[in-house]
Amino acid sequence: MASSPSSSAPFPDEPGSQHEHGSDLVHLSELLKRPVADRHGESLGRLSDVIARLRGHDYPLVSGLVVAVGGREVFVPVDQVRSFDADPLVLASARVNLRQFERRDGEVLLRSDVLGHRLIDVANARLVRASDVELRRENGRWLCHAIDTHRNRRFFGLFGARVEEHPNQDWRAFEPLIGHARSAALRGAVARVRGLKPAQIADLIEEASNEEGAELLHRVHQDPELEADVFEELDDDLQSRLLGARTNAEIADVLTRMRADDAADAIGELPQSRRQPILDLLPAGVRTKVITLMGFNPTSAGGLMGVEFVTVPADGTAATGLDAVRGATGLQPEALTSVYLVSRKGRLKGVIRLATLVQAEPAAPLRGLADTDPIRVHPDADITDVALLMADYNLLTLPVVDDHGRPLGVVTVDDVLEATLPEDWWRREPAPPHDIVGATNAADDDEGPDADTRATGAGGRTP
């Protein structure tokens, strides 16, 4: 069996490269371990894997087979297979390149990387397991077209055994967690997981294995702001473990982008020996906020509050208040539901709901729009008291003031929910939004495949 240069193999989509491929649809499970023979029928080995090349948002292109020949695995271009229906699989050539197969960047090994492994069901933000892959021939090229995420079960009845039938799902509905380091950059560049909400990504990471979680974080890492939002949503123990595996500089980089109250909680979960070095690496303004928050009991209003909120002079107008809101571009949306009036000495004089401010005439005095005797608490107030106050008075935010009545921070309703929900509630599987599938399908219909991400496939394995 002589070795032929793989560069001489024709491209799968070039004229003259087509052979008798048989049917236009085949399942991976039907191919694996099937015998492989040369064109004369002489046995070469068995099919070990199928190689597909990633192409952005488009279907991966099947580029070749991995065939176990003797004690090694070798590459066979897919266009050399006469038919996927035959058993054994018969090649169009009498020779194959016996050089040991090596996977390249952007390649997926369908058995090793996908079959039996978990994938991200993007539309439903959950992890599922692939039980089979459907290969389909289109325009003379084999594509990874669909994935079966159901475990095939065999039923027995009056008419004998039958296999449970269910529709396969479009490959593009999933993101495989491949784990191939050299291909990570290519996969991360088109990672649709970054379009999910931070809480959804955090749920995926919490459900994932260590290796799967590492790959998810790698994809998120390319968007530092999203990465910080995801860390805010992680379970405290997992957040601490994942941060603890990073260098002090890397931790500080994530914490700088987190809300100060969440960053303070995260530092508090780290080993004592690492806290001060990490604090020293934070920007001065962030460090001051974090140190202030770390001084409060975590089960108190001071431990719950965020320190970013909008204040305006009490003698201003509605236009003044709206200008302040427009300028607060770095604040979380929940911190902008109310604007706080302060005196010249910084004491809290009133609270105005943002809706009231928007509906008012620009020249209207703020004092006439505000609640001049707002509900407020001391930083030592207990979480339960804070929750009761916010429920009794229908508050979205609750200002926290010092002994002199100066605002220190704001507790938001989501902070209270997070602190008071029973621990076992956090372990419940969240119900998916009722319109998530419809919204995704509508987007697909409107936009279609991204033409910029399409690529033509290449046969052979030339460098």
Side-chain angles (χ1 to χ4, degrees):
M1 186 164 44
S3 173
S4 61
S6 59
S7 58
S8 65
F11 284 71
D13 52 348
E14 285 185 347
S17 67
Q18 304 305 318
H19 298 280
E20 183 192 349
H21 281 286
S23 64
D24 291 334
L25 187 148
V26 67
H27 292 89
L28 179 65
S29 60
E30 300 170 353
L31 298 178
L32 294 177
K33 296 186 179 180
R34 190 176 292 184
V36 178
D38 65 17
R39 67 181 180 182
H40 301 300
E42 294 293 330
S43 177
L44 297 176
R46 288 188 178 273
L47 179 65
S48 175
D49 217 324
V50 175
I51 310 162
R53 178 163 291 279
L54 297 173
R55 300 190 299 160
H57 295 290
D58 211 345
Y59 296 113
L61 177 68
V62 175
S63 58
L65 313 178
V66 180
V67 178
V69 178
R72 68 176 60 194
E73 293 187 328
V74 302
F75 170 76
V76 175
V78 68
D79 66 288
Q80 289 293 309
V81 182
R82 285 183 171 175
S83 171
F84 279 136
D85 294 332
D87 190 359
L89 299 175
V90 179
L91 304 184
S93 172
R95 298 181 299 172
V96 295
N97 190 334
L98 291 178
R99 186 170 57 189
Q100 180 72 29
F101 165 74
E102 292 184 8
R103 188 231 295 252
R104 296 182 177 176
D105 298 355
E107 289 182 339
V108 180
L109 300 182
L110 297 182
R111 179 186 63 82
S112 301
D113 299 335
V114 179
L115 198 63
H117 292 258
R118 295 207 291 185
L119 318 101
I120 306 167
D121 179 347
V122 178
N124 297 299
R126 59 175 183 157
L127 294 178
V128 296
R129 197 172 297 278
S131 62
D132 210 344
V133 179
E134 178 184 289
L135 308 179
R136 188 181 295 271
R137 185 171 57 163
E138 295 182 359
N139 299 321
R141 300 183 300 178
W142 285 95
L143 308 174
C144 298
H145 195 272
I147 294 177
D148 186 354
T149 60
H150 302 80
R151 176 177 293 179
N152 288 327
R153 291 184 295 177
R154 199 172 288 274
F155 294 91
F156 297 88
L158 294 176
F159 302 100
R162 64 181 179 88
V163 177
E164 177 188 28
E165 294 186 0
H166 39 256
N168 293 341
Q169 294 175 268
D170 194 295
W171 173 284
R172 295 174 299 184
F174 303 94
E175 274 198 32
L177 294 168
I178 297 171
H180 182 225
R182 288 174 53 195
S183 299
L186 177 62
R187 296 196 308 279
V190 295
R192 287 171 297 145
V193 69
R194 294 202 297 268
L196 299 177
K197 298 181 185 301
Q200 292 176 314
I201 300 174
D203 287 341
L204 291 176
I205 294 172
E206 289 171 2
E207 183 186 348
S209 66
N210 291 340
E211 293 78 10
E212 293 166 343
E215 182 162 346
L216 282 165
L217 277 176
H218 180 82
R219 298 185 191 186
V220 172
H221 183 66
Q222 297 186 39
D223 184 341
E225 296 297 335
L226 176 60
E227 180 183 39
D229 292 341
V230 170
F231 267 99
E232 289 178 357
E233 301 291 344
L234 287 173
D235 172 81
D236 289 344
D237 291 339
L238 180 58
Q239 180 196 79
S240 178
R241 180 166 61 81
L242 293 174
L243 284 176
R246 301 189 175 195
T247 66
N248 289 349
E250 290 170 337
I251 296 173
D253 186 57
V254 174
L255 296 183
T256 297
R257 292 177 170 84
M258 292 171 63
R259 288 176 21 173
D261 53 331
D262 289 314
D265 292 340
I267 290 179
E269 295 292 329
L270 293 172
Q272 182 72 40
S273 60
R274 302 193 68 181
R275 295 176 191 172
Q276 191 58 52
I278 292 171
L279 284 169
D280 292 340
L281 292 171
L282 297 177
V286 176
R287 181 168 61 249
T288 299
K289 294 176 183 178
V290 170
I291 291 175
T292 298
L293 289 167
M294 290 178 68
F296 294 110
N297 187 322
T299 62
S300 68
L304 277 184
M305 70 182 183
V307 292
E308 297 177 333
F309 51 95
V310 176
T311 62
V312 292
D315 57 0
T317 63
T320 306
L322 286 175
D323 285 343
V325 172
R326 291 190 191 98
T329 56
L331 267 64
Q332 297 284 339
E334 56 268 26
L336 295 173
T337 57
S338 299
V339 173
Y340 302 89
L341 277 56
V342 294
S343 67
R344 293 180 181 178
K345 294 184 178 180
R347 293 177 180 171
L348 182 65
K349 290 298 182 181
V351 178
I352 305 176
R353 293 282 181 92
L354 181 59
T356 302
L357 199 59
V358 171
Q359 293 167 352
E361 293 295 327
L366 290 175
R367 289 184 184 274
L369 303 172
D371 176 359
T372 56
D373 185 24
I375 304 299
R376 51 203 181 271
V377 293
H378 191 269
D380 293 335
D382 184 79
I383 286 179
T384 302
D385 294 333
V386 170
L388 289 173
L389 279 172
M390 296 188 75
D392 285 346
Y393 291 93
N394 298 320
L395 300 176
L396 295 176
T397 60
L398 178 63
V400 181
V401 299
D402 64 13
D403 294 334
H404 302 287
R406 294 179 294 230
L408 297 172
V410 174
V411 178
T412 60
V413 67
D414 64 305
D415 293 327
V416 173
L417 284 172
E418 186 174 342
T420 56
L421 281 176
E423 182 68 23
D424 57 338
W425 282 32
W426 289 100
R427 302 302 172 203
R428 294 177 61 183
E429 182 176 352
H434 71 280
D435 61 344
I436 191 168
V437 175
T440 302
N441 290 342
D444 290 343
D445 291 342
D446 290 342
E447 297 173 9
D450 185 353
D452 292 337
T453 63
R454 296 185 180 181
T456 57
R461 297 186 61 80
T462 55

